[in-house]
Amino acid sequence: MSNALAEENIVSSSPFKEGLKAGIPVAIGYIPIAIAFGLLAKSFFIPEAVILLMSLVIFAGASQFIGINLIIAGVAYWEIIITTFILNLRHFLMTASLSQRLPKWTSNKELALLSFGVTDETFSVSSSQRERVLQPSFVIGINLIAFLAWNVGTWAGVFLAMGLPASIQNSMGIALYAMFIGLLVPSLKESNPIVVIVGIAIVINAVLYWVIPIEFSTGWMIIITTILTATIGVWLFPKEEGEDDE
């Protein structure tokens, strides 16, 4: 009997299932945003197959919204590629940071799968975990539920949501900001260094937007803010010795 209970506890606490649970807030936040994306693309008469493939293959909300607008504006394809590439340069930083918390035995196939599923929100959830070493299956669980929610939302936006009142359609975009706040507040309560780092990021981003006499794109502002904030954060809060021994 005791062995059966032990096995049940092991199964119920598997890293993959824990990852699915941890990713639920992201999934809930993604659905209305994806619906809004589907609605927007459909309103511009983008073919349904193209809309669905964008969510299935690209899986990057900001890039998809910008890509749709650039397509409608008649921008050349190579300009769309360069714009979205610059916008997503921050993913190199996120995946590089996340790779430092994965076990050394993580295979290249797992790394490739994990990197595809990393978004701003899934990275936030993964990086905010207390455990120094993250199991690949845990991160896959977070990424998978987010990926499924984004694609389900896109389908709903393309095929189901056109009948919703305009007020509800327009209000869906606020869910993204609510989700970020929901992910950030618990970390702020538990860690003073995170409070300081968030404050630094806000100040740097504000300086870039209002003070520096150069107009940066959203992608470049995110990249510059991330690099400067991370550099200052490492200097202010260096890792204690022995932290990487796990």
Side-chain angles (χ1 to χ4, degrees):
M1 183 70 175
S2 60
N3 291 337
L5 290 174
E7 290 179 1
E8 183 178 350
N9 289 333
I10 292 174
V11 172
S12 62
S13 61
S14 67
F16 178 72
K17 289 185 177 180
E18 292 300 318
L20 291 175
K21 293 179 182 177
I24 289 175
V26 176
I28 293 174
Y30 270 7
I31 290 177
I33 308 302
I35 292 175
F37 167 72
L39 284 169
L40 176 67
K42 188 72 176 291
S43 67
F44 286 140
F45 304 102
I46 302 295
E48 295 172 352
V50 173
I51 302 172
L52 300 178
L53 279 175
M54 288 181 73
S55 288
L56 189 65
V57 177
I58 299 175
F59 185 44
S63 295
Q64 292 180 219
F65 276 102
I66 290 177
I68 288 294
N69 283 280
L70 293 178
I71 291 173
I72 299 304
V75 175
Y77 290 130
W78 67 269
E79 292 179 308
I80 297 176
I81 293 173
I82 292 176
T83 301
T84 54
F85 177 76
I86 292 174
L87 180 64
N88 288 319
L89 277 175
R90 68 190 188 281
H91 286 234
F92 287 103
L93 301 174
M94 292 189 292
T95 52
S97 173
L98 197 59
S99 68
Q100 302 304 306
R101 298 184 60 181
L102 296 172
K104 294 182 179 179
W105 47 260
T106 306
S107 67
N108 290 333
K109 290 183 179 180
E110 288 176 315
L111 290 174
L113 182 62
L114 291 172
S115 64
F116 172 77
V118 171
T119 65
D120 296 321
E121 297 76 25
T122 61
F123 172 76
S124 297
V125 174
S126 299
S127 60
S128 64
Q129 300 302 309
R130 294 182 177 180
E131 295 81 1
R132 175 69 186 99
V133 177
L134 299 175
Q135 296 300 317
S137 57
F138 174 81
V139 183
I140 288 175
I142 296 174
N143 294 352
L144 178 61
I145 193 170
F147 177 77
L148 293 176
W150 182 259
N151 280 274
V152 168
T154 302
W155 275 79
V158 171
F159 296 112
L160 303 177
M162 291 300 292
L164 292 175
S167 59
I168 296 179
Q169 296 182 26
N170 295 332
S171 67
M172 288 180 179
I174 199 173
L176 182 63
Y177 303 100
M179 177 178 57
F180 267 120
I181 294 172
L183 293 173
L184 184 61
V185 169
S187 298
L188 294 176
K189 290 181 178 180
E190 297 178 2
S191 174
N192 289 330
I194 291 181
V195 174
V196 175
I197 291 172
V198 169
I200 293 171
I202 293 173
V203 171
I204 292 175
N205 199 264
V207 169
L208 290 174
Y209 189 84
W210 280 298
V211 179
I212 302 297
I214 301 176
E215 185 175 350
F216 294 100
S217 66
T218 301
W220 277 113
M221 288 183 64
I222 293 174
I223 294 166
I224 295 171
T225 301
T226 302
I227 293 175
L228 293 178
T229 304
T231 302
I232 296 172
V234 169
W235 177 68
L236 291 177
F237 308 105
K239 290 188 294 185
E240 299 293 336
E241 291 186 7
E243 207 174 37
D244 291 327
D245 293 341
E246 294 180 310

